[in-house]
Amino acid sequence: MEQETKLPNEAPRPEGELEELERVWATPKGFRIVTAVNNTVVGIAYVGGAFVFFLAAGVLALLMRTQLAVPENDFLSQDLYNQIFTVHGTTMMFLFAVPAVEALGVLLLPQMLAARDLPFPRLSAFAIWAYFVGGTVFFLTVFFDLAPKGGWFMYPPLTLLEFSPENNADFWLLGIGFIEISAIAGAIEIIVGALRTRPPGMSLARMPIFAWSMLVFAAMIIVAFPAVILATMLLEIERAFGWPFFTADKGGDPLLWQHLFWFFGHPEVYIIFLPAAGLVSMIVPTMARHPLVGYRLIVVALIGTAFFSFGLWVHHMFATGIPSLSLGFFSAASMAVAIPSGIQVFSWIATIAAGKERFRINTPSLFVLGFLFIFTVGGLTGVMVALVPVDWQVHDTYFVVAHFHYVLVGGMVFPLFATFYYWAPMASSTMLSERLGRWVFWLMFLGFNVSFFPMHLTGLIGMPRRVWTYPDDLGWNGLNMISTVGAYMLAVGVLVFVIDLVLHFRPSAAGGKGNPWDAGTLEWLPGGVYSTRSIPYVTSREPLWDQPNLTREVEEGRHFLPGAPTGGRETIVTSPIDARPQYIIRMPGPGWPQMVAAVFMAGFFLLLTVKLVVPALICGVISVASCIVWAWGLDHGPGTGPVDIGAGIKVPTYMTGPTSHSWWAMFVLIIVASSLYIAYVFSYFYLWVVSPDIWAPEGSPALPQPLLPFASALLVVGGAASMFAGGRLLPAPGTRRVLAPVFIAIGAVCLASAVALEAWGHWTTGLRPTANAYGAMVYMASFLNLQVGLACVVLAGFAIARYVAGKLDNVRRLSFDNAALLYYYAAAQILLGLVVIHGFPRIAY
C-alpha cells in the first residue's frame, strides 16, 4: 500500500466530476448563509467575530486610560469603571483571545491538512453561533448597568450574594460558563481533525507546526477549562441556592475559587500563546526561504510548555499565605517553563539566520519581529514575578499589568496581525496593502511600548492596579499621561488596519492570489469551496517545495478523492500515527439544527441568569430536540460499500468503534467530563483540609441503611452489564430482537436509579447542602452524577429510537457504541464518587 499510494491517478478524470464537486460543496446563498458549515465560511465569520470583540474591548480600554490620564478624574464613575474594567478583561480573555486562535484553527487547519473540512462541520458551526449569541449578550450588559463588577477573575467573597446582590455577577458566571462549553466543542473538533483527517502520507512527523500547536492547544482546553466551569457552577449554585462552597464561616474557603480559576487561568496564557507561536513557526520559514530549524525540538517544546503550565497556577497566589515549601516549588516551576519557550525563540532566530540572505522584510515579518521583542520583554518580567520576594513587592501593582500585557499582546496579538497579512490571500481575492500594513505595524509597535512600558515604572513606585483614580501628589501623573497617549497611538494603528480591511479584503472561497509568498505548505494549493481538487499524497513537511509537480497534479484531480463518490460531502479519515487511508467520512451539509440548538441553548443560560426558569427550561428542551434532529441524520450506515479514492485504493464509507472518528470525539468528551470530576474531587479534599471540623462528623454520611451505597453500586454495575448485553444482542441487518432495546433501557433505568438512590439516602438523614460546605460537596457529587446520567439516558433513548426506526443493528451501531462508551465512563464516575463520599471519611476518621 505504501508503494501504491505514491502513484497519482494517471487516467483522465470523468467529465462533470469537478462540477459535481462544486455542487455538493456549494455555499448557501442569501439569508441561508447562516446555515453554512463550510470551514472557509464559518472560519472567516469566527475570526471576524473575535476581531469585533477585540475592537469593542479596545474601546473600553481607551475609556479606562482616559479616566487614568490625569489624577482625581471624574470622566467615569467608580461603579461604571469597575464594570468597564471587568468587561474589558473578560472580553479580551474569553471572547477574543481563545476564540480567535480557535477560529484560526477552524479556518486554517483543514487547508493545511488538505482536508475537505473538519470532521464535524456542524459542531464547528454550533460552537460559533453559541459564541456569537452568548458573547454579544454578555458584552451588551455594560450598556444597561448589568455588567459584573468583580474583575475578569471574579474573586469571592466580593462576588458572593452578600456583596454582589444584583444579577451582574450571574451574567458573568452563566454567560462565560456557556462560552467555555462552546470552546470545548471547538477543541474536540480540532483534536479529531488533526489526528484523523490528515492527508495520506502526512505522518505526525510531517505535520505542520501549526497543526501540532492546535493539537496541544485543544488538549490543554479539554483539561484546563473544566476547572473554571466547575468553579462557575459552584459560585452560581452558592449565589442561587446558598450552598456554602466559598463562605468561610460554614466551612467553605474563598481561596478554593482561586485554585480552580488559576488552574485554568495560567494554562490559558499558553493556550493563547502556543497557537500564535505555531503561526510564527509557519511564517518564519517562508520569509527565510528555509525549512524550520529544530522542528522536532519545537514539537517537544510545545508539549513541554503544556505540561509545565499545569503546574504553575499558584504562581498567581504567592501573596495568599500558602506554605513556604509550596512557594519554592511553584516558583521553580514558573521559571522552568521559560526553557521550552526559549527553545522556540532560538529556533526562529536560527531559521532567520539560516536564510538571512533571502529573508524578506514585509508586513508579516515586521509583526513577527515585533512579537519577538515584546514577548521576550514579557518573558523577562515573568521570570521576575516568578521570584517570590519580587512578586510580594509588585503584586497587585501596575508592574503586573505591564507584564501580562507584554506577554498576551506580544505573544498573541502581534502574531495574529502577522497572520492577517500573511494568510489574507488564502481567503481573499485581493491582498492587504503593504504600505498601510507598515503604518499599522509601526503605530501598533510604538503605541504599545509607549503605553505599557511606563506601567512597569508606575507599578514599581507603588501604583496599585484596579483603581479608578488616584491623588495628585504621588508622582504617577506623567507616567499615566504617557501611557494614555500610547494607548491612543495603538488604537490609531488598529484603526488603519480596519481601513485596510475595508479597502482590500474581499472574501473568496478559492482565494485569488495563488501562492504569493512561495510557501511550502498545503494551504496554498489552488482550490475552491471544496478545499482542494484532490487530496495529495504527502512525502515531506514542505510538500510544495519538495514535490514540484504537486500543485498541477492536485488541480488535475490526480491524487485522492478527486470527486464525490457517495454523492455527498466527504473527506478521508487516516490512521492517527502514519496517516494511512482508513475510510471516508460522509459529512452533513448546510442546515438549521445546529444554529437553532446554539441559539436556544444560549437562551437557556441567559434566561436562567434573570431567574426566568420556565422559559429557560423551554429553551433547553428546544435545544436538546434540535441536537437530536441534528444527530439523527449523521449515521448513514454502510449502504454504499467501499469506494475508490484513487491510486487503486478502496476504503469503506462507514466505521464504528475505536476506529471511528465519532468514537474518538466521544472519548475526548469523556476526558472533559473526567477533568471536571477530578476538579470536584480536588475541591472536596481541599475543603476537608481547610475545615476538618465540619467534615463527616460521624465518620461517614449517615444513611437509613448502611448497605445503601452498596445498593447504588450494584445498580451501576448491573446497569453496565445490561448495556453490554444490549450491545451483544443487537440483531443482524434486516432482523429484529426485542431483547436488545430492553437491555439498553434497563441500563438507563439502573443508572438513573443509582443517582436518585444516593441523593435520597442523604436527604432522608437530614443532611442539607445549605448547612455547611461538607453537605454542599456531598450533594454536588450527586449533581455531577445527575448531569452525566441524564446524558446517558438521552443517548440510550436515542439508540432505542433508532432501533425502533430500523436504523440500529449489529453493523450499523454507531449510536449505541458511543452511548455505551459514555455509559461506562458514567458508571466509573459514580463508583468513584461512592468511594470518596462513603469510603474516605471512614478511613480518615
Side-chain angles (χ1 to χ4, degrees):
M1 183 175 184
E2 178 72 17
Q3 180 63 32
E4 290 177 352
T5 54
K6 291 181 180 180
L7 300 175
N9 299 313
E10 298 292 346
R13 303 311 307 160
E15 187 176 349
E17 184 180 65
L18 181 58
E19 289 74 12
E20 174 69 3
L21 200 60
E22 291 173 341
R23 182 194 64 79
V24 166
W25 286 93
T27 302
K29 305 296 183 183
F31 74 93
R32 291 187 65 250
I33 189 69
V34 298
T35 68
V37 295
N38 309 56
N39 78 290
T40 49
V41 176
V42 298
I44 291 174
Y46 203 176
V47 172
F51 186 69
V52 169
F53 281 120
F54 170 74
L55 296 177
V59 171
L60 298 185
L62 290 180
L63 294 176
M64 289 190 292
R65 282 312 322 166
T66 302
Q67 169 65 23
L68 294 172
V70 295
E72 300 176 1
N73 196 356
D74 58 359
F75 174 69
L76 298 175
S77 67
Q78 182 176 3
D79 185 74
L80 180 57
Y81 182 90
N82 287 338
Q83 291 188 47
I84 289 175
F85 166 79
T86 302
V87 173
H88 164 76
T90 302
T91 301
M92 282 297 192
M93 297 299 290
F94 294 98
L95 300 181
F96 164 63
V98 173
V101 292
E102 193 163 77
L104 289 172
V106 171
L107 177 62
L108 296 177
L109 196 58
Q111 314 304 116
M112 290 185 182
L113 302 181
R116 296 277 192 241
D117 206 334
L118 288 171
F120 306 101
R122 286 191 177 179
L123 185 61
S124 295
F126 167 84
I128 291 164
W129 280 109
Y131 159 71
F132 284 165
V133 177
T136 300
V137 173
F138 170 79
F139 189 87
L140 291 177
T141 58
V142 77
F143 296 100
F144 300 97
D145 196 31
L146 293 172
K149 310 170 187 178
W152 71 275
F153 32 78
M154 293 293 285
Y155 285 163
L158 177 62
T159 51
L160 295 179
L161 197 62
E162 179 182 358
F163 303 105
S164 299
E166 303 88 0
N167 289 333
N168 302 54
D170 300 302
F171 274 104
W172 192 97
L173 293 168
L174 290 171
I176 296 306
F178 172 59
I179 292 166
E180 298 305 304
I181 294 173
S182 167
I184 288 173
I188 293 172
E189 175 87 296
I190 287 169
I191 288 174
V192 179
L195 290 176
R196 302 305 310 279
T197 62
R198 302 194 308 276
M202 185 183 279
S203 64
L204 289 178
R206 294 172 182 167
M207 195 162 66
I209 285 292
F210 179 69
W212 269 110
S213 67
M214 290 305 299
L215 182 61
V216 175
F217 155 89
M220 292 176 72
I221 282 181
I222 66 172
V223 175
F225 278 35
V228 76
I229 291 175
L230 177 70
T232 57
M233 289 169 59
L234 297 182
L235 185 51
E236 182 58 28
I237 289 173
E238 176 157 355
R239 287 177 56 84
F241 304 109
W243 298 15
F245 301 106
F246 305 107
T247 302
D249 60 0
K250 290 188 176 182
D253 187 7
L255 282 184
L256 173 60
W257 172 272
Q258 291 198 38
H259 281 289
L260 292 174
F261 184 86
W262 289 118
F263 183 80
F264 141 83
H266 199 89
E268 188 187 28
V269 173
Y270 297 99
I271 286 171
I272 295 167
F273 165 67
L274 290 182
L279 294 168
V280 171
S281 293
M282 302 293 289
I283 296 172
V284 166
T286 299
M287 296 308 166
R289 296 289 299 151
H290 189 282
L292 185 67
V293 174
Y295 171 93
R296 295 179 185 273
L297 282 176
I298 285 192
V299 172
V300 172
L302 291 170
I303 299 171
T305 301
F307 176 79
F308 279 118
S309 70
F310 284 101
L312 303 182
W313 79 90
V314 180
H315 173 93
H316 298 265
M317 301 172 63
F318 285 165
T320 59
I322 61 177
S324 299
L325 181 61
S326 297
L327 291 177
F329 172 82
F330 286 101
S331 178
S334 299
M335 288 182 281
V337 78
I339 296 173
S341 299
I343 289 173
Q344 295 182 76
V345 171
F346 284 115
S347 171
W348 299 325
I349 294 173
T351 305
I352 293 171
K356 60 182 181 298
E357 295 178 357
R358 301 180 298 275
F359 189 79
R360 290 174 281 192
I361 299 297
N362 49 31
T363 302
S365 59
L366 283 174
F367 273 104
V368 166
L369 295 173
F371 147 77
L372 284 172
F373 173 80
I374 294 173
F375 183 75
T376 300
V377 173
L380 292 174
T381 56
V383 172
M384 293 172 66
V385 296
L387 298 170
V388 177
V390 176
D391 185 82
W392 283 347
Q393 296 302 312
V394 301
H395 185 77
D396 274 345
T397 71
Y398 260 79
F399 186 92
V400 177
V401 176
H403 157 66
F404 70 69
H405 279 88
Y406 264 83
V407 170
L408 294 177
V409 176
M412 188 267 175
V413 174
F414 273 70
L416 184 65
F417 275 78
T419 297
F420 289 156
Y421 279 93
Y422 179 77
W423 272 287
M426 191 198 78
S428 170
S429 58
T430 57
M431 295 181 67
L432 298 180
S433 168
E434 178 67 21
R435 182 172 60 86
L436 288 178
R438 291 175 182 259
W439 275 98
V440 172
F441 168 75
W442 286 111
L443 284 168
M444 289 184 63
F445 182 77
L446 295 175
F448 174 83
N449 285 285
V450 170
S451 180
F452 289 99
F453 189 83
M455 292 183 190
H456 294 100
L457 306 178
T458 313
L460 289 174
I461 59 178
M463 182 173 177
R465 59 195 292 199
R466 306 171 193 149
V467 294
W468 74 290
T469 191
Y470 51 93
D472 189 23
D473 56 353
L474 297 178
W476 306 337
N477 303 12
L479 291 172
N480 273 299
M481 179 57 74
I482 292 171
S483 290
T484 300
V485 170
Y488 275 91
M489 187 185 303
L490 175 61
V492 171
V494 175
L495 178 61
V496 174
F497 174 73
V498 172
I499 294 171
D500 195 2
L501 280 181
V502 172
L503 293 177
H504 300 108
F505 188 75
R506 300 292 180 268
S508 169
K513 302 304 293 184
N515 185 0
W517 312 112
D518 192 22
T521 44
L522 295 178
E523 73 272 22
W524 298 105
L525 285 171
V529 292
Y530 44 76
S531 185
T532 60
R533 173 70 171 85
S534 56
I535 297 175
Y537 180 78
V538 173
T539 61
S540 69
R541 294 173 192 151
E542 293 84 20
L544 299 190
W545 287 350
D546 299 333
Q547 298 171 248
N549 297 322
L550 186 62
T551 297
R552 177 179 54 81
E553 292 173 357
V554 165
E555 198 166 11
E556 292 174 354
R558 296 176 58 193
H559 283 258
F560 296 101
L561 204 64
T566 67
R569 299 187 177 198
E570 313 115 346
T571 197
I572 301 175
V573 175
T574 53
S575 57
I577 304 298
D578 55 0
R580 291 175 176 268
Q582 291 187 321
Y583 69 100
I584 293 291
I585 300 179
R586 300 175 66 185
M587 295 183 293
W592 291 100
Q594 73 280 355
M595 182 183 177
V596 174
V599 171
F600 279 93
M601 186 174 290
F604 170 76
F605 280 93
L606 295 169
L607 289 169
L608 279 183
T609 303
V610 293
K611 311 300 187 289
L612 295 175
V613 178
V614 174
L617 291 176
I618 294 173
C619 286
V621 170
I622 294 174
S623 179
V624 172
S626 299
C627 290
I628 292 173
V629 171
W630 162 11
W632 188 263
L634 297 180
D635 186 355
H636 297 279
T640 55
V643 296
D644 189 345
I645 62 170
I649 298 174
K650 288 190 174 183
V651 296
T653 60
Y654 184 81
M655 195 67 67
T656 186
T659 305
S660 165
H661 65 288
S662 62
W663 189 94
W664 278 59
M666 180 60 75
F667 186 80
V668 176
L669 181 62
I670 286 172
I671 295 175
V672 174
S674 61
S675 298
L676 179 68
Y677 199 74
I678 289 170
Y680 160 77
V681 172
F682 165 82
S683 303
Y684 177 94
F685 287 115
Y686 175 83
L687 291 181
W688 167 68
V689 171
V690 170
S691 305
D693 52 315
I694 59 99
W695 219 253
E698 299 178 4
S700 182
L703 290 171
Q705 296 293 333
L707 295 180
L708 206 59
F710 295 100
S712 296
L714 187 61
L715 281 170
V716 170
V717 174
S722 180
M723 184 66 72
F724 179 79
R728 296 296 297 269
L729 292 172
L730 287 174
T735 62
R736 310 291 287 175
R737 278 184 187 174
V738 71
L739 286 179
V742 169
F743 274 101
I744 295 172
I746 291 173
V749 170
C750 286
L751 194 70
S753 300
V755 175
L757 183 64
E758 173 73 357
W760 173 81
H762 296 312
W763 188 264
T764 55
T765 64
L767 182 66
R768 297 293 182 267
T770 55
N772 52 40
Y774 169 70
M777 292 305 292
V778 167
Y779 279 92
M780 192 65 196
S782 295
F783 178 74
L784 294 176
N785 290 336
L786 176 64
Q787 283 184 316
V788 70
L790 282 176
C792 289
V793 169
V794 170
L795 289 180
F798 183 80
I800 293 172
R802 290 189 65 83
Y803 178 87
V804 172
K807 297 179 181 294
L808 178 65
D809 50 51
N810 63 4
V811 176
R812 190 179 184 179
R813 52 182 295 156
L814 188 63
S815 55
F816 171 80
D817 286 340
N818 289 347
L821 184 61
L822 183 64
Y823 188 103
Y824 299 145
Y825 165 75
Q829 175 178 302
I830 294 171
L831 292 174
L832 175 61
L834 291 173
V835 171
V836 171
I837 299 298
H838 296 283
F840 167 74
R842 284 193 168 89
I843 297 172
Y845 293 94

